[in-house]
Amino acid sequence: MFSDRVSIVLRSGNGGDGHVSFRREKYVPNGGPDGGDGGDGGDVIFEVDPGMTTLAAFRHHKTYAAGNGSEGGKKRCHGKRGNDIVLQVPEGTIIRDQESGRIIADMSGKDNSRRIILHGGKGGIGNMHFATSTMQAPRYAKPGKPGIEIDVVLELKSMADVGLIGFPNVGKSTLLSRVTNARPKIANYHFTTLHPNLGVVDFGDHEDGFVLADIPGLIENASKGEGLGHQFLQHIERTRFLIHVVDGASLEGRSPADDIRTINDELVSFHEGLGEKPQVIALNKMDLLPEEERQHVIDQLREDLGDSDIPVFSISCATGEGIRELLNYVRARLAEMPNETTVYETEYFPEEELTEEELPFSVRKEKGEYYVDGPRIEKMLGFTNLESEKGFLFFERFMRENGIEDELKKLGAQEGDTVHVCDYEFEYVE
Ligand SMILES: Nc1nc2c(ncn2[C@@H]2O[C@H](COP(=O)(O)OP(=O)(O)OP(=O)(O)O)[C@@H](O)[C@H]2O)c(=O)[nH]1
Ligand SMILES: [Mg+2]
């Protein structure tokens, strides 16, 4: 029923193995090596689908794997690249490493509509590359590099400017439906809303409107997960402003001030930043009170809230009274704030993380040339595309951070010297 947080497994494809074969031609007894390279494994890619609003699509399926690269063939045939797997998610989806909880990607904002989350392992090179003057018939090729598998959690944090919060049944969805084109379910019982609903408040005056999100009702201990509070609260983390809806008619016997304090305590316990978001109180269902009692209820609430300076608007979603004033106020406050969506930064780089395992490597000098190899280097090269700028920068950083650069310097490497890094050959530059 709730699907704004799901755990899944992602796996990128293995690289195909390089091939060992020799050219067979008439009258040529020993043809040269012609085994082709293995194909690279497929990538795991995430893409925003603007039409999606929940993560429900991920509920019934656990593992998402890209295809493996095929083995290289004879006659220098390159193995087929593994198929990528493209996962469509709603905007605002955050991908986290399950174990550490750190963020791998935030699928929101213009630059993040498509992200490669895991690269496939690289294909191994075939024996055609190993023909040298000293070894004419190489009988070995390189195996493909394995892909990467990680457990992740997908979590949806809505992309709204303003959030509607409050106890169940106070009229949050009714307000959303009155001021936007969203059509959420409205009913006279608790937890009618199970997923956030988003709508655009359009003022019809060519000025910017804002995106309003209605979330499921919050209750005491929501911050501890009660009533699935975590899933609900995560949806207002990106908002810049909150409309705190309370039942002014106290239909369920609670006092508006108690409700407000309870919910605000939950916001702070969930995440300090939530408690600091500016709010306005919408005292709703005021149509149910006789005219002469309304002012009394407003005054009482202000008194109960003591020195809190949260503004209070008296409204009715049934008659529409007070709503315009409320929205104008919210718009004016938003206009004073920087208009930028929160996009969470990447804290976890699956591929780099894996190279941090303490695998060995060695750096040595032989006949005036330098050799860097070992499992650690192989692992890094297994998913680093040296032909892309980003990949090459990562490679340089890897060499620096692992002390390989220093090591080369110590061995006396000079500008222009040859450095072999596994199967690659570089010129040393200071
Ligand atoms: N008389 C009156 N009834 C209202 C008003 N606003 C909402 N209601 C009624 O209150 C009930 C609850 O409204 P919802 O909008 O579903 O409440 P909610 O806060 O979204 O509730 P949850 O989704 O359960 O958290 C419905 O029966 C609405 O018709 C109002 O201003 N006046
Ligand atoms: Mg609702």
Side-chain angles (χ1 to χ4, degrees):
M1 204 161 34
F2 303 97
S3 43
D4 296 333
R5 185 188 287 263
V6 291
S7 296
I8 55 171
V9 180
L10 305 178
R11 191 190 304 141
S12 61
N14 298 329
D17 295 341
H19 192 72
V20 176
S21 57
F22 297 92
R23 214 164 49 228
R24 301 257 173 267
E25 281 169 53
K26 263 187 186 165
Y27 315 117
V28 183
N30 287 315
D34 71 349
D37 301 343
D40 293 343
D43 300 336
V44 177
I45 299 171
F46 275 70
E47 218 171 63
V48 170
D49 175 349
M52 276 173 88
T53 54
T54 75
L55 296 170
F58 294 92
R59 260 174 26 217
H60 304 294
H61 197 68
K62 182 101 181 132
T63 302
Y64 295 83
N68 296 329
S70 321
E71 198 192 331
K74 27 183 175 205
K75 297 189 179 156
R76 303 184 160 243
C77 256
H78 203 283
K80 200 171 146 291
R81 192 177 184 283
N83 289 329
D84 294 338
I85 184 166
V86 180
L87 304 181
Q88 308 272 355
V89 291
E91 180 169 23
T93 299
I94 288 183
I95 308 160
R96 288 181 193 274
D97 167 50
Q98 168 127 46
E99 199 185 318
S100 65
R102 284 186 286 158
I103 294 175
I104 299 171
D106 179 356
M107 302 299 294
S108 60
K110 282 194 293 297
D111 305 332
N112 297 314
S113 55
R114 184 182 165 91
R115 296 264 302 251
I116 298 178
I117 300 301
L118 294 179
H119 287 95
K122 297 185 62 92
I125 58 181
N127 74 333
M128 66 184 199
H129 297 283
F130 293 108
T132 61
S133 50
T134 50
M135 186 165 53
Q136 291 290 359
R139 301 206 164 270
Y140 59 85
K142 288 261 173 182
K145 305 287 180 192
I148 300 174
E149 178 173 303
I150 47 169
D151 293 341
V152 299
V153 176
L154 306 186
E155 172 187 306
L156 184 58
K157 287 191 202 292
S158 300
M159 306 298 296
D161 303 297
V162 178
L164 288 165
I165 53 167
F167 266 81
N169 217 29
V170 295
K172 300 177 296 297
S173 301
T174 313
L175 180 54
L176 181 80
S177 73
R178 255 208 104 103
V179 302
T180 71
N181 48 3
R183 290 292 164 261
K185 186 170 170 200
I186 293 167
N188 191 15
Y189 53 80
H190 286 203
F191 298 115
T192 304
T193 303
L194 294 176
H195 296 294
N197 298 293
L198 268 60
V200 179
V201 180
D202 181 358
F203 288 80
D205 57 2
H206 303 294
E207 301 239 349
D208 281 350
F210 55 80
V211 177
L212 182 62
D214 159 36
I215 70 162
L218 299 169
I219 55 174
E220 191 156 8
N221 291 326
S223 60
K224 300 199 187 93
E226 205 101 336
L228 284 159
H230 286 297
Q231 304 221 12
F232 301 167
L233 286 164
Q234 78 197 26
H235 282 287
I236 50 174
E237 283 185 277
R238 280 190 222 265
T239 59
R240 292 184 284 150
F241 200 86
L242 298 173
I243 298 179
H244 199 147
V245 185
V246 271
D247 174 1
S250 298
L251 288 182
E252 298 182 16
R254 301 180 310 262
S255 95
D258 285 345
D259 277 12
I260 289 165
R261 271 191 291 263
T262 306
I263 301 270
N264 281 346
D265 286 347
E266 293 307 323
L267 298 187
V268 175
S269 330
F270 182 70
H271 191 295
E272 224 173 297
L274 278 192
E276 284 160 15
K277 280 193 202 291
Q279 298 191 351
V280 57
I281 292 167
L283 202 49
N284 189 29
K285 305 199 184 180
M286 293 299 270
D287 59 286
L288 295 173
L289 294 176
E291 197 117 9
E292 60 281 8
E293 250 182 71
R294 293 184 195 164
Q295 194 55 47
H296 171 70
V297 169
I298 299 169
D299 293 342
Q300 184 66 50
L301 175 59
R302 290 216 169 98
E303 194 186 314
D304 290 346
L305 291 176
D307 50 8
S308 145
D309 51 4
I310 311 181
V312 178
F313 285 81
S314 155
I315 66 165
S316 164
C317 290
T319 66
E321 221 177 301
I323 290 181
R324 189 35 63 181
E325 290 81 353
L326 170 69
L327 295 182
N328 284 337
Y329 174 81
V330 173
R331 171 159 74 162
R333 290 298 307 277
L334 284 177
E336 299 162 6
M337 299 176 196
N339 183 10
E340 52 200 32
T341 354
T342 313
V343 176
Y344 294 88
E345 292 201 4
T346 299
E347 306 162 327
Y348 186 92
F349 301 84
E351 309 184 338
E352 298 189 20
E353 212 69 36
L354 291 168
T355 52
E356 262 155 38
E357 286 171 55
E358 290 301 309
L359 294 171
F361 67 88
S362 71
V363 183
R364 66 205 147 79
K365 183 174 183 178
E366 234 177 81
K367 295 188 191 141
E369 297 194 345
Y370 299 83
Y371 293 82
V372 180
D373 41 35
R376 185 157 181 166
I377 317 292
E378 299 234 357
K379 186 147 198 178
M380 179 272 297
L381 288 174
F383 48 72
T384 306
N385 179 6
L386 294 174
E387 268 128 58
S388 82
E389 193 189 330
K390 223 170 128 198
F392 195 76
L393 288 174
F394 170 62
F395 169 76
E396 285 187 320
R397 197 170 66 207
F398 180 91
M399 299 293 276
R400 201 164 47 245
E401 284 175 2
N402 284 279
I404 296 165
E405 255 184 36
D406 288 344
E407 198 74 24
L408 287 169
K409 221 176 272 173
K410 247 197 265 159
L411 291 173
Q414 304 270 335
E415 189 93 18
D417 284 351
T418 302
V419 181
H420 301 264
V421 180
C422 294
D423 303 321
Y424 294 89
E425 212 178 280
F426 297 91
E427 200 171 286
Y428 183 81
V429 273
E430 291 279 346

